[in-house]
Each structure stands twice: as structure tokens, then as C-alpha cells.
Amino acid sequence: MTKIKSVRTRVWNWTGPTVPPQGNFCTNASDALWIMGDAMASFRFHQWLTCEVETEDGTIGIGNAALAPTVVKKAIDDWYAPLVIGEDPFDYAYIWEKMYRRTHAWGRKGIGMTAISAIDIAIWDLMGKLVNKPVFKLLGGRTKEKIPVYYSKLYADSIEAMQREAEEAASHGYQAFKSRFGFGPKDGMAGMRENLKRVEALREVLGYDVDLMLECYMGWTLDYTKRMLPKLAPFEPRWLEEPVIADDVAGYAELNAMGIVPISGGEHEFSVIGCAELINRKAVSILQYDTNRVGGITAAQKINAIAEAAQIPVIPHAGQMHNYHLTMANTNCPISEYFPVFDVEVGNELFYYIFEGDAEAAGGYLQLDDDTPGLGISITDKHLDHFEITE
Ligand SMILES: O=C(O)C(=O)C[C@@H](O)CO
Ligand SMILES: [Mg+2]
């Protein structure tokens, strides 16, 4: 069997045009700081990491990650690549444990686990290519004719702009939509009313026969969320996402136990055991690990089994092919998040400019090809003018 001979990392720094963020476009963890600065400071993904794992026979698997790419690159180059080179990619579970355990003192959450994720995703792409099968066929196969997706954008804006965007999205056949709150604890009662007006306005144009999800991106507090939940309930949100900071697992459990609106989260949780804690403590009703942070496909598939046993649906955070393959192969993953193709804004959509082959939604669904090996993406040179690449 062919062995891994190299791991190549590149940081893709977007230098092209970006859509400037509106004020109050999305609450986030930095809102609690007394000096208000850049509204996008705690989430801007204008850099991306690609990680290519190559075997002796010249086959290349592609992985990627979007968290702190320059630091993750250094971690892979200096620490993780040497652990992987010389291994058989089909020993993926062993390789994962080797990466996890050899760096356990410092690597098990955050940067370290993101590095493991990027390599692991590349190894799955590689395995698919080596056996000429799509990754979802290695994970269990097709559990759905096609994957329903939810439209994920609707950042807070004027009521008219949000209604226009929702109507436009609905006209493309989406049956589920996720919107972002613009106001949080620092905005007091007046901000609460602004939040509620926008949810009401979205229901006004979308009606109540489709799903509406609401995202806080960790910009609220426990107290604020407790006050908001009864006010949101009449609008029948499918879930309230990441109301409080990721470390406040007790807060998630308390909010979820209120049973007013299902609480979702997990996109900032790491590893099998980290997600198992969210599940075991019933901290979330919907688990949303991010595959390129949580530990890649190897970890995600184990988490899927734990979540399924607890009957907690898994809807991975973000678009991207690795998430779609997992969703296709798991009955307990009912739907995928979908970032519409758009000019670069917060950066969620940057992967469309780095890769070719990402599935595109049509009529509210997307499809994976039974005959395309691996994840089905390649690195494109179409937008090279708009990137500064560090190797
Ligand atoms: O898509 C999500 O769930 C995110 O958290 C993305 C981020 O951009 C906040 O909206
Ligand atoms: Mg989210």
C-alpha cells in the first residue's frame, strides 16, 4: 500500500474586494468588551488554509481549515506533518490518535485540533481517490436521494433589506433559512425590540410553513437569552444558535432545559469527548460541530454515532464538501447548512474562491455524485489575482 510522502500547507490570504459589514450586522463574543472596535473582530475568515497530503504514488488528498490559518500552518509544518509522513492513509484512525495523543498536552482543542482536522480531511479525500469512491461511500453510503439545505445568510440589516433577501432566497426554493441577530445585551430593551421586529418581519414574508433558524454567534448572555426565549417562541424558530460563549456548557444546558426554543451549538467545540459532553449534558438539541475544527471526518463520524444514540440531530456548521459527505452518509444528519455563493463578506464564502467542485444548491437541495472520487474538490487558479499565498 502506498504511504504518505508529504504534507503541503498553504495560507490563502484574500486581497480582493470585500463587502463591508453593516453596523449591528451580527452579534458576537466581542460585544461584551467595553471598548467597541471592529464589529467583525471575532469572526473574519479572509484567510484560509489548504493542506495537501500526498502519497508515494502521486495521489493528493485535499484538506482545509479556516481558523487562524497562519498558526495552524506552523503547527502542521512543525509538529503534525512529521507524525503523518510514512504512514498508510488507510490507518486513518491510528493516525488520528497518533496526532491527538502525541500533542495532547497542548493540541487537543483550538489550533491543535484544527490542524488535526485539516490533515484528517485530506486523508479521507486521499482514501476516496485511492479506491475511486466518493467519501460518502466510505462513510456508509447514500442515506438520502438528495440533501436538503438551509439558506444561511440574512445578516441583520434594515427590515426592508432583510425581507428582500428572504423573499429572493425563497424564490429559489429554499425551505429553511438562518438569520443573524444584530442586537444584544448592550443594546437594552430597544435592541430587544429591534431583534424581535426583524424576526417578525422575516416570518411575515416567509410564512410559517418553512423553517427559520436564529443565530446569536455567542453574542448574548445567559440572562439576556432567558429573557428573549419567551418573546421568540411565538415566531416558532427551528432553533436558537450559540446564544452564549462556547465554554458556558452549563448555560447551554440550562437554556435547553427550559424547553421554549431548541438550543443549537457546537461549532466552537472540539474533539469527540468535547462534543460528547454537549450531548450527555443535553446542552444542545441540535449539534453543529465544524468538521474542519472538531477533528475532521474521523472525529465527526464517531460524534455522529454518539449523537444518534442520544437522538440529537447533527447539522454540521458551514457549507463545504466534507460536511455534505458526512450528511449524505448519516440518517441522523437531516439537512446541511448552505452559504449562498456571494462576494466575499465575512469570509464564510471564501472557499468558493479557492476550490472548484463544491456542490451548488438548486431548488433547496444539493446533490453529490456517486462516481466522483474523494470529496470532489480541486484547488482552482481562477482567482489567484485576489490571493496572497504563503507556503
Ligand atoms: O454559519 C454559522 O453558523 C456561523 O456561525 C457563521 C458566522 O458567520 C456567524 O453568522
Ligand atoms: Mg453558527
Side-chain angles (χ1 to χ4, degrees), residues 26-27 43 45 150 152-153 155 178 180 215 217 241-242 267-268 288 317-318 337 339 346 348:
C26 185
T27 51
F43 66 112
F45 301 99
Y150 73 85
S152 183
K153 200 165 174 300
Y155 283 89
K178 187 162 87 189
R180 276 76 176 163
E215 161 82 278
Y217 202 71
E241 180 164 333
E242 286 206 300
E267 70 177 74
H268 297 96
Q288 298 168 301
H317 168 242
E337 178 165 21
F339 294 135
V346 297
N348 282 343

